[in-house]
């Protein structure tokens, strides 16, 4: 696609008013902007603006993209590359922001981690929550909230499960209100 810049060679007159000088300079700046925009389209160039909004389409993002930790909105939500640890030392009920985070029980006695029904906490299907019993003595019970099914991987039995001291497991929300638990020290 050919490109032809257009410039008017009108010069301000010495002794002319500031309005005339400003008008002519603004016209030349506007012409240059139009020309540079046309060149960037021809060359498929991109604009880099620090701390600016991302384009709606196209462009390349470089560096880290940091998103707010608000929990998943769907199974396609951005997650973590790791599984950040959330410590708790007494009974706990899972909340949406616990998704993709390791729930680590650090208390010395027994504790209960409850999976609430989707009606009270809207976990999307495909949510994964690692669980860890960091205790050296207490057993962690992973309990079903009202209407929640919990199955131990390899079993069709719907029951509350336990995680032995130093055990590690993974909860998978595989269907609405149906979770599967797998891991080491899981019963």
């Amino acid at each position: 696609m050919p490109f032809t810049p257009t410039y008017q060679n009108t010069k301000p007159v010495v002794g002319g008013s500031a309005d005339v000088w400003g008008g002519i300079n603004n016209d030349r700046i506007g012409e240059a902007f139009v020309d540079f925009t046309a060149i960037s389209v021809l060359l498929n160039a991109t604009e880099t603006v620090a701390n600016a909004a991302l384009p709606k389409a196209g462009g390349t993002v470089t560096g880290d993209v940091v998103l707010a930790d608000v929990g998943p909105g769907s199974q396609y939500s951005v997650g973590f590359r790791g599984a950040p640890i959330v410590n708790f030392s007494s009974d706990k009920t899972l909340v949406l922001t616990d998704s993709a985070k390791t729930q680590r029980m650090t208390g010395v006695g027994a504790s209960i981690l409850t999976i609430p029904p989707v009606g009270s906490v809207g976990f999307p299907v495909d949510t994964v929550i690692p669980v860890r019993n960091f205790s050296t003595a207490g057993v962690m019970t992973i309990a079903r909230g009202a209407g929640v099914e919990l199955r131990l991987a390899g079993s069709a039995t719907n029951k509350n499960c336990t995680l032995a001291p130093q055990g590690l497991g993974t909860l998978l929300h595989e269907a609405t209100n149906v979770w599967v638990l797998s891991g080491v020290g899981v019963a």
Side-chain angles (χ1 to χ4, degrees):
M1 181 183 315
F3 167 74
T4 306
T6 56
Y7 294 102
Q8 297 176 11
N9 291 322
T10 307
K11 298 177 187 173
V13 178
V14 174
S17 76
D19 290 339
V20 172
W21 279 84
I24 291 172
N25 286 333
N26 282 338
D27 290 345
R28 298 303 82 74
I29 290 169
E31 290 169 6
F33 177 77
V34 168
D35 291 339
F36 284 119
T37 301
I39 290 169
S40 71
V41 168
L42 287 172
L43 299 175
N44 195 24
T46 58
E47 178 182 8
T48 302
V49 180
N51 298 320
L54 296 174
K56 290 182 180 179
T60 301
V61 177
T62 58
D64 291 339
V65 175
V66 179
L67 303 172
D69 174 16
V70 295
S74 78
Q75 67 269 34
Y76 304 109
S77 295
V78 174
F80 303 99
R81 287 188 179 176
I85 295 172
V86 175
N87 290 319
F88 67 98
S89 58
S90 60
D91 295 351
K92 175 180 179 169
T93 298
L94 292 171
V95 295
L96 194 57
T97 55
D98 289 329
S99 298
K101 294 180 185 171
T102 302
Q103 302 304 304
R104 183 168 69 176
M105 198 276 283
T106 59
V108 293
S111 68
I112 300 171
L113 180 66
T114 302
I115 304 168
V118 169
S120 62
V121 177
F123 286 110
V125 170
D126 297 337
T127 296
V128 174
I129 302 175
V131 291
R132 168 90 164 114
N133 185 350
F134 196 61
S135 172
T136 56
V139 171
M140 178 172 32
T141 298
I142 301 169
R144 303 163 293 160
V148 173
E149 294 181 26
L150 178 59
R151 298 196 173 101
L152 189 57
S155 169
T157 304
N158 174 24
K159 65 175 191 164
N160 291 339
C161 297
T162 58
L163 187 58
Q166 297 302 309
L168 177 65
T170 302
L171 286 166
L172 169 65
H173 190 202
E174 79 174 349
T176 302
N177 285 325
V178 178
W179 292 77
V180 176
L181 177 63
S182 64
V184 177
V186 177

